[in-house]
Amino acid sequence: MNVAGKKQNFSYAPVAKPAVAPMMGGLGLEDMGDLSALLAGPEAAAPSGGPLALDMALIDEDPHQPRTQDNPGFSAQSLDELAASIALRGVKTPISVRDNPSVEGRYIINHGARRFRGAQRAGLAHIPGFIDNDYNEADQVVENLQRNELTAREIADFIGRELAKGMKKGEIAKAISKSPAFISQHVTLLDLPDPLAQVFNSGRVRDVTVVNELMTAYKKTPQEVTGWLGDASQEITRGSVKLLREFLEAKGQPNGAERDPHTVDALTGKTDAQAAQAQAPASAEKKADKAIINDKLRKAVVHVLHNQRRAHLMLDRRPPAEGFAWLKYSDDGAEFEASLKSVTLVALLEG
């Protein structure tokens, strides 16, 4: 029976393999634990049916596991966070292994490659695990498909409970081995205004970074953001939110409201604190970046309301002055100049 997925607190005894096992490496007496348990064999090492303490040096990863090397779970940041958690709390969920048919005395991982890599980074010599030889490649795929990760809402609720207990954000970040930015972004989800709560709870937007960017814009221009979100056909992506922010800035209503310095900027991918620490790029680089942004905005399709009539911005025509734009009515095709302050944003689509 494969019990690798059970989450509980375990006590476990070290497992030793026969001395003839290849590539076993030297085991000092200090690592051997209870000698009688060693002589009795692996099964006797955990008489209560709990996990075994598997020697990390005897474990190999499955070269055919379904998750590839570029899987986000194998990123350096993800593994560093896991290693920090393991160093603090240990491996709480045992891994599952099977005997290596090619090399006697060694194991191949069924489930738990991330935990194994995290334990390696944390410097562990042993890892709790179960031996399950009744296993095939399809089981790995099913296990990964059926694993339910915590949702952003569930994470936010946990953080909210910890804050209610009096814990500080930094303490929570350390406890779950996440960055302060991660905590701050999820705290935003605890008290969303109705328009943002509706799009988040309905699943129209799941990206926590996008929600934080929308929250920042909403604090400064709630009517514009509410109207933009009110169009059910409006796609809410990092790209469209970047364009929304640029539109609001061009309209003369900057959305730079006060926000947590740990908020991750959807445009730059950096926290406000990181942006503040970094020196402004060279003038040429700033011009190049601005040209890229302007090019994206020119390719966008911006729908607005002017005098209660639907129109779109003619972004290929130079405006007469800053804060103005050329517009074209949708009903009769009439073209005209108007102040951006006189229009209401309806939808903004990426080009």
Side-chain angles (χ1 to χ4, degrees):
M1 180 176 67
N2 182 3
V3 292
K6 291 184 178 179
K7 292 186 177 180
Q8 48 187 300
N9 292 322
F10 296 99
S11 59
Y12 51 89
V15 174
K17 279 304 218 179
V20 296
M23 300 174 63
M24 183 172 179
L27 284 178
L29 292 177
E30 69 278 2
D31 294 323
M32 293 181 67
D34 183 356
L35 185 59
S36 62
L38 295 175
L39 294 175
E43 291 75 12
S48 64
L52 309 171
L54 303 174
D55 188 337
M56 294 278 292
L58 299 179
I59 300 174
D60 300 312
E61 292 194 36
D62 188 345
H64 303 297
Q65 72 156 306
R67 289 199 294 188
T68 59
Q69 191 59 37
D70 60 355
N71 186 285
F74 286 152
S75 69
Q77 179 182 355
S78 178
L79 291 175
D80 284 343
E81 290 178 349
L82 179 58
S85 175
I86 289 174
L88 184 67
R89 303 280 293 166
V91 178
K92 294 299 182 182
T93 303
I95 67 171
S96 171
V97 300
R98 62 187 182 274
D99 290 315
N100 190 328
S102 303
V103 186
E104 183 182 357
R106 297 190 67 81
Y107 303 108
I108 295 177
I109 295 175
N110 296 329
H111 295 320
R114 286 191 71 250
R115 278 164 278 164
F116 175 72
R117 294 189 187 189
Q120 282 182 320
R121 293 188 177 217
L124 269 60
H126 293 85
I127 188 170
F130 292 98
I131 300 174
D132 179 9
N133 288 314
D134 181 20
Y135 200 84
N136 58 45
E137 191 170 338
D139 292 329
Q140 291 190 4
V141 176
V142 171
E143 193 271 344
N144 279 281
L145 287 175
Q146 293 185 347
R147 182 189 293 123
N148 292 318
E149 304 291 349
L150 291 175
T151 65
R153 170 60 66 186
E154 290 168 337
I155 295 171
D157 289 342
F158 163 76
I159 294 172
R161 290 193 298 271
E162 296 302 292
L163 290 172
K165 295 176 185 176
M167 287 190 68
K168 297 181 179 179
K169 292 180 183 179
E171 294 172 336
I172 300 173
K174 184 177 181 181
I176 63 175
S177 300
K178 288 292 185 180
S179 67
F182 180 90
I183 303 301
S184 293
Q185 285 190 305
H186 284 79
V187 166
T188 300
L189 303 180
L190 297 174
D191 189 24
L192 291 174
D194 286 343
L196 273 66
Q198 290 175 11
V199 296
F200 178 70
N201 294 332
S202 67
R204 281 184 64 194
V205 57
R206 300 182 184 276
D207 189 326
V208 179
T209 296
V210 170
V211 175
N212 275 261
E213 283 296 316
L214 285 172
M215 185 66 171
T216 300
Y218 181 88
K219 288 179 180 179
K220 193 67 177 179
T221 55
Q223 291 183 340
E224 293 280 359
V225 175
T226 299
W228 188 73
L229 294 174
D231 182 356
S233 65
Q234 172 66 59
E235 294 184 356
I236 307 174
T237 65
R238 292 196 179 197
S240 64
V241 171
K242 284 190 290 184
L243 293 171
L244 170 64
R245 187 178 71 180
E246 290 155 13
F247 172 82
L248 293 175
E249 290 173 349
K251 189 175 178 179
Q253 298 180 0
N255 59 355
E258 291 287 335
R259 61 179 179 180
D260 192 300
H262 293 126
T263 298
V264 176
D265 190 287
L267 181 62
T268 65
K270 297 180 180 179
T271 65
D272 290 356
Q274 290 172 332
Q277 291 175 357
Q279 295 298 322
S283 178
E285 293 181 357
K286 290 175 67 175
K287 290 181 180 179
D289 290 342
K290 188 173 182 179
I292 293 173
I293 292 172
N294 289 338
D295 183 61
K296 289 182 179 179
L297 192 55
R298 278 196 296 270
K299 293 178 180 178
V301 180
V302 184
H303 295 282
V304 298
L305 282 179
H306 181 265
N307 291 334
Q308 303 304 312
R309 295 171 64 184
R310 187 90 174 220
H312 69 267
L313 269 62
M314 302 176 65
L315 298 172
D316 57 343
R317 296 184 63 173
R318 182 182 296 276
E322 185 174 351
F324 284 76
W326 278 93
L327 283 77
K328 184 175 184 178
Y329 281 131
S330 300
D331 49 13
D332 61 6
E335 300 177 0
F336 59 97
E337 299 174 359
S339 168
L340 287 172
K341 292 184 178 180
S342 67
V343 304
T344 301
L345 179 64
V346 175
L348 200 159
L349 307 177
E350 298 177 70

